[in-house]
Amino acid sequence: MKKHDKSDNIEVTPENRKQMIIATALEWFVTIAVGVLVGVLIVLFVAQKDVVYGESMEPTLESGFVVFTEKISTYFHHYNRGDIVILDGQGMEGYYHEECLIKRIVGLPGETIRIADGVVYIKEADGTDFFVLPEPYLPTGASTDMMSWGLERGYDEITLGEDEYYCLGDNRYVSNDSRNLGPFTSDRIRGIAFIILSPISRFGFI
């Protein structure tokens, strides 16, 4: 004998059907809203995509490349020499664009940076002697030279403050960077670019 399921007695009325549709719609709305919120929070506080404009980071990054940038380091002000960073240059004398810059950190807080003989010299915060900065990412034969504007302001040899970073583009011949703009404070660093997303042929860690 077939058992009688009490649920068989439930009548699906138009009102019940309406409530089921509303409940399902609310469930989908909440799921989508949470997804959007998580996405917004990630973009605002964790990571974002940035597009490279200009030639200042060639050959490492070419104009039109899309990079993935992490922002977590900006909360702790933890940066290393060699990091490729997104910088806000607005308000700095010598920079008149709204777009952010993308450069490489070569000098850290407390260090003395000297640019001479076509190379970058570093004297560490507690050091007594300068050493030539190894820069394997530069094209063979590339020379790091000063600009007249920066020479007038003493950016060819400068001791960085406790919150200052000396940043240069890899394409030293065209880059507008700390040689011209001076050091960047940590509040101008918007994130560290660490993955090339596009073009696919160059996909990978920087």
Side-chain angles (χ1 to χ4, degrees):
M1 177 184 241
K2 182 180 178 182
K3 292 185 178 180
H4 183 66
D5 190 343
K6 292 183 179 180
S7 63
D8 291 342
N9 295 329
I10 298 177
E11 182 181 358
V12 180
T13 65
E15 184 62 29
N16 289 340
R17 185 176 290 108
K18 181 179 179 181
Q19 291 177 355
M20 291 170 61
I21 292 173
I22 293 174
T24 301
L26 285 174
E27 184 177 344
W28 275 102
F29 175 80
V30 170
T31 300
I32 293 172
V34 170
V36 170
L37 179 61
V38 170
V40 170
L41 291 176
I42 288 175
V43 169
L44 287 177
F45 302 109
V46 180
Q48 68 182 35
K49 291 193 301 181
D50 288 290
V51 179
V52 178
Y53 293 102
E55 304 172 345
S56 70
M57 280 301 293
E58 292 182 353
T60 307
L61 298 172
E62 298 178 16
S63 187
F65 275 25
V66 179
V67 296
F68 196 58
T69 303
E70 64 91 355
K71 299 182 178 181
I72 297 175
S73 298
T74 63
Y75 306 130
F76 305 99
H77 295 175
H78 179 70
Y79 309 105
N80 298 307
R81 194 189 324 278
D83 285 346
I84 295 177
V85 291
I86 309 299
L87 298 164
D88 181 1
Q90 290 196 45
M92 297 182 74
E93 190 174 12
Y95 190 73
Y96 308 107
H97 305 281
E98 294 183 358
E99 299 83 6
C100 287
L101 305 93
I102 181 165
K103 307 295 176 186
R104 188 186 296 272
I105 293 177
V106 300
L108 301 171
E111 295 182 337
T112 299
I113 312 302
R114 174 190 292 166
I115 295 179
D117 310 318
V119 296
V120 178
Y121 294 90
I122 303 286
K123 183 170 71 174
E124 296 179 324
D126 299 324
T128 56
D129 299 315
F130 284 92
F131 64 88
V132 176
L133 176 66
E135 298 192 272
Y137 40 80
L138 295 183
T140 302
S143 178
T144 303
D145 301 307
M146 286 300 299
M147 308 168 189
S148 58
W149 179 280
L151 282 171
E152 293 174 4
R153 285 154 180 76
Y155 296 152
D156 58 323
E157 183 166 338
I158 182 173
T159 298
L160 301 173
E162 62 180 15
D163 189 39
E164 293 182 332
Y165 297 83
Y166 204 92
C167 303
L168 300 177
D170 288 357
N171 188 349
R172 300 290 159 81
Y173 299 110
V174 303
S175 179
N176 186 16
D177 47 40
S178 287
R179 293 172 295 169
N180 186 49
L181 304 174
F184 292 83
T185 51
S186 63
D187 63 317
R188 290 186 176 276
I189 300 177
R190 296 290 179 257
I192 300 176
F194 69 104
I195 293 179
I196 297 175
L197 296 176
S198 175
I200 297 300
S201 60
R202 293 286 298 275
F203 177 84
F205 289 99
I206 302 172

